[in-house]
Amino acid sequence: MDRVIVYVDDAAYAHQVLAPLFAREAAAPTQWVLVACAPRMTHRISKWVSHSARENWRTKWADKLFAQILPVLRGPANSVTTVVAKGPLVELTEQLQAAQPQAAQVVDARRPKSEAPEATAKSQTAGRRWPTPRPGTLMGSLLTGFGTLWALALE
């Protein structure tokens, strides 16, 4: 029996990534270990939400995700185990690999993070010496203020 550990955070994207694996693995019985990777919460959320409330939210989120993915994984010869990631994935992978003597294939079916907004802003202003002032921004306000002071000084 083959073992496959799959890390997921979005059901639609996971279906796209796992489609080739489903076709290949249809003949052989497979033990699927489905690991839900919930979105990260900021460290400041602890002011407003208790630890148990965060854990309850994470569990509910994972249950919804599993409900979308499990019908595809269930087969006559397949077994599925669900896990909710609560720490670093490297340590969790080591624990899951150590749980059984045979090596497991690890598939990262998490949706890739989009490009950071800072990188997008830097690429848009590349090659410019001075940024163009925008109304309502600090830079626009400073340039307007200095221009006004200069006009008053010339009078």
Side-chain angles (χ1 to χ4, degrees):
M1 179 178 276
D2 294 335
R3 279 186 73 221
V4 181
I5 300 171
V6 182
Y7 293 108
V8 293
D9 62 357
D10 181 28
Y13 186 77
H15 286 297
Q16 292 174 357
V17 171
L18 296 176
L21 235 96
F22 295 147
R24 188 191 78 189
E25 301 287 335
T30 307
Q31 179 187 7
W32 296 92
V33 180
L34 197 59
V35 180
C37 303
R40 292 186 62 101
M41 294 184 199
T42 63
H43 68 280
R44 294 189 175 118
I45 202 163
S46 62
K47 288 182 190 177
W48 310 106
V49 180
S50 68
H51 180 71
S52 62
R54 283 187 301 228
E55 291 300 316
N56 288 338
W57 175 85
R58 187 178 286 126
T59 303
K60 288 179 185 177
W61 179 89
D63 289 342
K64 288 179 186 176
L65 181 70
F66 292 147
Q68 294 173 353
I69 296 176
L70 285 178
V72 178
L73 294 178
R74 299 247 186 238
N78 293 340
S79 67
V80 180
T81 306
T82 58
V83 178
V84 179
K86 295 181 182 175
L89 295 182
V90 174
E91 294 174 9
L92 182 60
T93 303
E94 290 171 357
Q95 290 173 359
L96 293 172
Q97 292 279 19
Q100 299 236 341
Q102 66 183 18
Q105 178 183 0
V106 178
V107 178
D108 188 359
R110 295 177 293 164
R111 180 176 294 282
K113 304 288 185 250
S114 62
E115 188 177 350
E118 297 86 25
T120 305
K122 286 181 184 177
S123 66
Q124 291 174 351
T125 59
R128 291 188 199 165
R129 184 169 180 154
W130 300 100
T132 56
R134 296 183 196 135
T137 62
L138 179 62
M139 185 62 139
S141 299
L142 286 174
L143 291 176
T144 303
F146 284 131
T148 305
L149 287 176
W150 189 357
L152 290 174
L154 291 176
E155 289 181 1

